[in-house]
């Protein structure tokens, strides 16, 4: 029996033999960057209504290319998906006293974005196989105050758009899709992120395609596009002269993308399909070879959709495997090295993910100032419950059942993936050595 590395045995792969980096930045980006620097104009934006309100040539070209690729009328670039989400909440007319249904199983901003316009996030539970908002739970959380549903297409996979959109239609709600993790994923014949009132994508350094920091919001609604552009670029100053009459929520930020980032993003967009296909290929390879362990298996992909696997999700059943999930994950980490360009992050496998309702902002109900706004406000008549237990599926996934990995990103060759597979099997087969 092979001794586990966590018990002092030899690891499957030496800690010094790092996994290859995922680096999608190459000659094309270098040429694009030099072109922009050669021109000298690193941003074409001006914070007032007029010719430069929509940014410079690179920003416009990138937005046009994105809209065309995704089959939407409007693509509005921003400097982060967090800012794109906040701008979207504003554009949708969400206001103090409103509630927005959100998911706990995502990055914090997917849950906190409504707060910036004085609205209160209400957590619904998620689906145990796909980790997106569970339409049944969403419907249960609707009150007369509900204004919108903020869905997340987590790990690169699509949420249940037909069920969520049907609920939204029935209750007259807006839908905002946080598709930060999945540019290029498909939901039927449409791109994930394009089936809601607004969808947003992140282009930060950790995502499938990146420009360091950056994002795009998409919509088919002209008024929403205008409002997004205003909030992106000092709305209070840009409404003058624009002819826009509804100025509610139109106090702006500066969420503008630079010319340099837009030029890089445009090159990344051209590479998107190829990079996502490489990811899917690696996931298929891993999936095929990790299906024979009872109690530890790859999560399914929703029928009729195509994930781009920002992360690869697994499900773990402690009762079947016989040891706690975190022990299992630590034992796998001991068998494998870190990944280049992610040194210091540890081997790229983890247990858990996020339960956003447990963050202090919700537990203490302190967001803006010290008096409880917007949870406590004359404009708000609800009393949201953020206690542990409100999202049992998200909580048990976080506590015991979810395992995610990024050791399937492009750059991982078959021999690298084989090491990952060997480590999974070695730990699984020798788990009796563990407490
Ligand atoms: C990365 C991410 C964001 C935020 O993206 P930034 O561009 O870094 O602001 C939002 N939501 C989800 C689900 C993400 O993964």
């Amino acid at each position: 029996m092979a001794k586990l590395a966590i018990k002092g045995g030899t690891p499957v792969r030496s800690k010094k033999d790092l996994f290859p980096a995922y680096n999608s930045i190459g000659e094309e980006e270098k040429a694009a960057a030099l072109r922009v620097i050669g021109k000298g104009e690193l941003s074409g934006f001006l914070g007032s209504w007029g010719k430069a309100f929509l940014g410079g040539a690179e920003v416009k070209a990138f937005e046009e290319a994105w809209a065309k690729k995704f089959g939407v009328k409007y693509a509005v670039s921003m400097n982060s998906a967090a800012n794109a989400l906040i701008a979207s909440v504003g554009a949708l007319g969400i206001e103090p006293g409103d509630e927005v249904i959100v998911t706990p199983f995502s990055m914090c901003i997917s849950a906190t974005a409504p707060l910036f316009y004085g609205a209160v996030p209400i957590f619904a539970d998620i689906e145990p196989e796909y980790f997106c908002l569970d339409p049944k739970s969403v419907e249960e959380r609707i009150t007369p105050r509900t204004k919108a549903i903020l869905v997340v297409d987590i790990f690169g996979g699509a949420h249940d758009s037909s069920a969520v959109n049907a609920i939204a239609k029935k209750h007259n709600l807006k839908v905002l899709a946080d598709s930060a993790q999945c540019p290029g994923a498909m939901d039927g014949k449409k791109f994930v992120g394009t089936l809601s009132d607004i969808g947003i994508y992140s282009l930060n350094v950790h995502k499938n395609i990146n420009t360091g920091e950056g994002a795009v919001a998409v919509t088919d609604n002209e008024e929403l596009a205008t409002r997004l552009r205003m909030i992106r670029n000092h709305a209070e100053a840009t409404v003058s002269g624009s002819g826009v009459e509804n100025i509610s929520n139109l106090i702006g930020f500066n969420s503008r993308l630079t010319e340099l980032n837009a030029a890089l993003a445009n090159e990344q967009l051209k590479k998107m399909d190829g990079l996502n296909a490489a990811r899917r290929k690696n996931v298929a390879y891993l999936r095929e070879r990790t299906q024979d362990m009872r109690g530890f298996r790859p999560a399914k992909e929703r029928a009729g959709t195509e994930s781009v696997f920002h992360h690869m999700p697994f499900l773990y059943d402690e009762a079947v495997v016989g040891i706690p999930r975190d022990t299992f994950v630590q034992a796998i980490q001991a068998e494998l090295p870190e990944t280049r360009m992610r040194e210091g992050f540890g081997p790229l496998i983890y247990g858990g993910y996020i339960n956003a309702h447990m963050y202090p902002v919700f537990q203490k109900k302190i967001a803006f100032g010290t008096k409880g706004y917007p949870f406590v406000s004359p404009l708000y008549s609800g009393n949201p419950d953020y206690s542990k237990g409100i999202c049992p599926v998200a909580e048990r996934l976080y506590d015991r059942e979810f395992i995610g990995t990024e050791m399937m990103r492009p750059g991982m060759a078959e021999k690298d993936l084989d090491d990952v597979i060997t480590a999974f099997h070695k730990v699984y087969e020798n788990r009796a050595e563990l407490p």
Side-chain angles (χ1 to χ4, degrees):
M1 200 154 86
K3 194 167 183 198
L4 293 175
I6 202 166
K7 293 295 224 175
T10 309
V12 167
R13 176 163 168 150
S14 160
K15 291 279 173 189
K16 292 197 185 102
D17 186 11
L18 299 188
F19 282 128
Y22 174 54
N23 183 3
S24 61
I25 304 299
E27 289 306 315
E28 300 81 359
E29 286 75 13
K30 212 184 215 174
L34 289 174
R35 183 181 75 236
V36 173
I37 289 169
K39 281 196 269 183
E41 190 192 46
L42 301 188
S43 175
F45 275 106
L46 201 62
S48 61
W49 191 254
K51 260 209 333 240
F53 167 67
L54 294 176
E58 299 287 347
V59 162
K60 285 178 183 156
F62 169 58
E63 291 180 344
E64 205 171 292
W66 192 280
K68 187 163 172 233
K69 171 74 186 171
F70 283 74
V72 291
K73 285 197 186 140
Y74 307 98
V76 182
S77 63
M78 305 230 190
N79 58 8
S80 76
N83 285 346
L85 277 174
I86 294 168
S88 300
V89 169
L92 290 168
I94 290 160
E95 62 180 75
D98 290 342
E99 289 177 348
V100 177
I101 295 174
V102 300
T103 170
F105 213 65
S106 181
M107 223 202 112
C108 50
I109 191 68
S110 315
T112 56
L115 291 171
F116 290 86
Y117 287 86
V120 173
I122 300 293
F123 289 94
D125 209 355
I126 61 170
E127 306 161 302
E129 189 72 39
Y130 311 116
F131 322 111
C132 297
L133 275 177
D134 178 350
K136 261 201 239 89
S137 178
V138 167
E139 197 148 29
E140 283 165 16
R141 307 286 156 103
I142 292 172
T143 73
R145 298 175 293 273
T146 310
K147 188 75 160 278
I149 307 167
L150 204 170
V151 289
V152 179
D153 302 296
I154 200 75
F155 307 128
H159 73 276
D160 187 347
S161 62
S162 48
V164 168
N165 288 348
I167 292 168
K169 196 166 172 201
K170 182 171 155 198
H171 297 273
N172 194 26
L173 308 175
K174 304 288 186 201
V175 182
L176 168 55
D178 177 347
S179 309
Q181 299 186 352
C182 46
M186 300 306 289
D187 184 346
K189 290 191 165 46
K190 296 216 159 192
F191 281 90
V192 169
T194 67
L195 289 121
S196 308
D197 292 290
I198 301 176
I200 67 98
Y201 308 94
S202 173
L203 302 172
N204 88 17
V205 65
H206 305 291
K207 299 305 196 297
N208 290 22
I209 56 172
N210 91 92
T211 173
E213 306 284 356
V216 186
V218 295
T219 181
D220 282 327
N221 180 305
E222 185 181 3
E223 189 192 354
L224 289 177
T226 301
R227 287 169 65 81
L228 284 168
R229 288 165 176 156
M230 288 194 160
I231 293 169
R232 166 176 75 177
N233 189 6
H234 303 292
E236 67 285 356
T238 50
V239 282
S240 323
S242 69
V244 165
E245 279 169 15
N246 172 18
I247 66 162
S248 117
N249 286 355
L250 293 192
I251 299 175
F253 297 85
N254 174 353
S255 304
R256 310 178 310 205
L257 199 63
T258 69
E259 287 287 277
L260 194 53
N261 287 115
L264 298 176
N266 213 354
E267 296 305 323
Q268 289 283 288
L269 176 59
K270 292 178 201 161
K271 295 182 179 179
M272 179 178 77
D273 289 343
L275 291 167
N276 286 340
R279 225 173 247 268
R280 285 183 60 82
K281 186 163 168 250
N282 286 351
V283 167
Y285 189 87
L286 276 181
R287 184 190 290 277
E288 231 170 80
R289 291 158 181 82
T290 52
Q291 280 182 345
D292 53 338
M293 292 171 272
R294 277 188 63 243
F296 173 57
R297 66 170 174 89
K300 295 192 188 102
E301 194 172 4
R302 191 188 303 280
T305 71
E306 208 172 278
S307 174
V308 292
F309 293 104
H310 176 56
H311 291 190
M312 181 174 179
F314 285 83
L315 286 163
Y316 186 84
D317 187 339
E318 175 182 330
V320 174
V321 183
I323 56 169
R325 176 201 59 195
D326 292 344
T327 308
F328 186 77
V329 169
Q330 283 156 17
I332 291 170
Q333 287 174 331
E335 301 291 342
L336 296 170
E338 296 189 303
T339 296
R340 281 187 203 287
M341 289 176 71
R342 284 282 187 92
E343 294 94 342
F345 285 72
L348 297 179
I349 183 166
Y350 61 93
Y353 205 57
I354 296 160
N355 266 184
H357 57 306
M358 289 295 118
Y359 285 137
V361 58
F362 298 115
Q363 290 305 307
K364 297 184 192 299
K365 293 189 185 173
I366 296 289
F368 296 100
T370 57
K371 300 183 184 70
Y373 180 83
F375 307 103
V376 180
S377 148
L379 294 170
Y380 180 58
S381 57
N383 181 20
D385 181 5
Y386 298 126
S387 47
K388 195 161 165 83
I390 58 168
C391 295
V393 176
E395 289 170 21
R396 64 170 213 253
L397 285 163
Y398 178 78
D399 290 338
R400 295 184 300 278
E401 296 179 2
F402 185 84
I403 295 176
T405 184
E406 289 187 83
M407 290 186 287
M408 33 26 95
R409 298 186 298 175
M412 292 285 280
E414 277 189 8
K415 69 173 172 46
D416 301 313
L417 298 172
D418 286 338
D419 287 341
V420 175
I421 293 158
T422 303
F424 285 8
H425 282 103
K426 180 182 172 192
V427 171
Y428 187 85
E429 280 149 30
N430 297 287
R431 63 194 186 276
E433 288 180 27
L434 295 166

